[in-house]
Amino acid sequence: MAIWGKKKTTEPESREERKAGPIRRLWQKFRNIDWKNPVNRWKLLFVSLIGCIVIFGGGYGVLSLTNSPAFCSICHEMQPEHTSYTASSHNEISCVQCHVKPGMVNMVTHKVKSLKEVYYHVTGVPNQIVQTEEEAISNQNCLQCHSKNRLVTASGDLIVNHKGHINDGIPCITCHSGVVHAKMGAREINVAADRSKWTPENAQKLMEEKYLKPNMGTCIDCHDKVNKGEKPWKDVAYSVPPNPEEKKADTEKVKSSEGTDAAQAAHNKNTQDIILQAVGKQQKDVKVSMACETCHREIKVPKSHKIDDWKTNHGATAIQSLDTCMNCHQDSKWEKEIPKEDITTILKLGPQNSKYTPNVTVTKEEARTNKFCSACHSKRPPGHEQSNDWLTGHSVKASTPEAKAECFVCHDNAKPSPNSTDAKAPTDVYCQYCHRTGFKSDTKN
């Protein structure tokens, strides 16, 4: 008795039929079925239904399994990414909700492309997992949960027209690249040697708040380029953290090329121009205002800065409250680039919140290297303009150690050594160039 009913004939199979393979014999039996019989048609429908349930149900099960964050954590090379994900504010959604565009076609395409990850896992895991340009998270993913109508941040301080940015085609990740993984790729703390250190206990130390929030340096860099007529976000690479290996190669290329000093000087001048715009010292007709109050509601110029002689007498305040000054005047906040970090140092010392102790030397070093300070300190002060008068009359301005400390922001006492690691002075004029016999005993240093 066959599943489709009685055989029409009981004649023995011919020699040709016996020689045919099992698939061919099955096909011959299928063709011999009486499809005019409604019972056979119902049997076919039942078998087809069961087959669809098995195929599609199994496929859905495979998709659900591979879409789960737990599946991503199977591979040891993904430990940093999975640990940071579970410690982030986005740990209630799955990885694919961010990393795969909505739609079944995109999902299937992603699964096919992901087969290369299996190949890498078997043949040789890369030293560092980095995001590629084709894997950049799209605005479609973010807008599944977030509204583009937000005008201010949750804190209420930062004013950002999200809708305007999105309508201009600016990717969300241009500003929010660290919201889940704390920019670990750019910081180079997810390399092979560091993967085992990404434990739930260490996650809070490694995921510093400053790397989860938007980097002001990105905003500044983008606004500056817009004012120059550029649209940097049109290049996907602008929104994706640079591959550390490629960045190293570019750095070496720049170092080996001619005109490096000139390029660095031009970069520093551009940064200083931006700073002067931000503090309102340089105004010009621009598309996007660079002034701090354009984007920040709660940041205002402190009252102490509004006194008449603040420009010439703020040095003493800087010595006493340098840490407070650096809250706003830290030039690293104005840089788009994220520096490389050492994961062992982070875990050992934790976030650096050490209490500042007033120190003239530290203040001097900061004034020499900080682009905020050098924007003014690299220029000759008004009191120095009449060189002849100043040359013979400046001693009264440097009669005490405190007064000399202000001079030493720009000048060195002795000729600096070429191999010195100290911050370079803005000027090559030093005291002992003229005072070769030293100073009077009551006014040392």
Side-chain angles (χ1 to χ4, degrees), residues 346-411:
I346 299 173
L347 296 176
K348 183 177 180 180
L349 301 179
Q352 299 300 297
N353 295 318
S354 57
K355 185 178 180 180
Y356 169 72
T357 302
N359 189 305
V360 173
T361 302
V362 173
T363 306
K364 180 184 73 174
E365 295 288 309
E366 190 67 41
R368 289 184 174 186
T369 58
N370 191 312
K371 294 184 180 66
F372 256 105
C373 304
S374 60
C376 295
H377 283 280
S378 60
K379 300 177 181 179
R380 188 175 178 85
H384 293 43
E385 293 299 335
Q386 299 298 326
S387 297
N388 293 336
D389 294 339
W390 178 256
L391 184 63
T392 58
H394 69 273
S395 60
V396 296
K397 299 291 185 179
S399 58
T400 65
E402 291 76 14
K404 287 188 178 68
E406 295 184 15
C407 301
F408 291 149
V409 169
C410 295
H411 299 278

Side-chain angles (χ1 to χ4, degrees), residues 168 222 225-226 228-235 238 287:
D168 280 342
C222 187
K225 284 181 168 60
V226 169
K228 294 176 180 177
E230 303 176 31
K231 292 185 177 181
W233 61 88
K234 293 294 184 179
D235 182 2
Y238 186 78
K287 296 179 182 179

Side-chain angles (χ1 to χ4, degrees), residues 257-276:
S257 64
E258 296 182 0
T260 302
D261 292 340
Q264 185 61 45
H267 172 74
N268 291 342
K269 184 180 184 303
N270 183 63
T271 302
Q272 291 173 358
D273 289 343
I274 293 172
I275 290 171
L276 291 173

Side-chain angles (χ1 to χ4, degrees), residues 269-306:
K269 184 180 184 303
N270 183 63
T271 302
Q272 291 173 358
D273 289 343
I274 293 172
I275 290 171
L276 291 173
Q277 292 178 48
V279 299
K281 298 297 183 182
Q282 182 174 318
Q283 302 291 338
K284 62 180 181 179
D285 184 18
V286 296
K287 296 179 182 179
V288 182
S289 173
M290 304 291 279
C292 300
E293 59 269 18
T294 300
C295 298
H296 294 279
R297 301 174 65 181
E298 298 179 359
I299 292 182
K300 298 179 180 179
V301 178
K303 292 181 180 179
S304 61
H305 292 44
K306 297 180 179 180

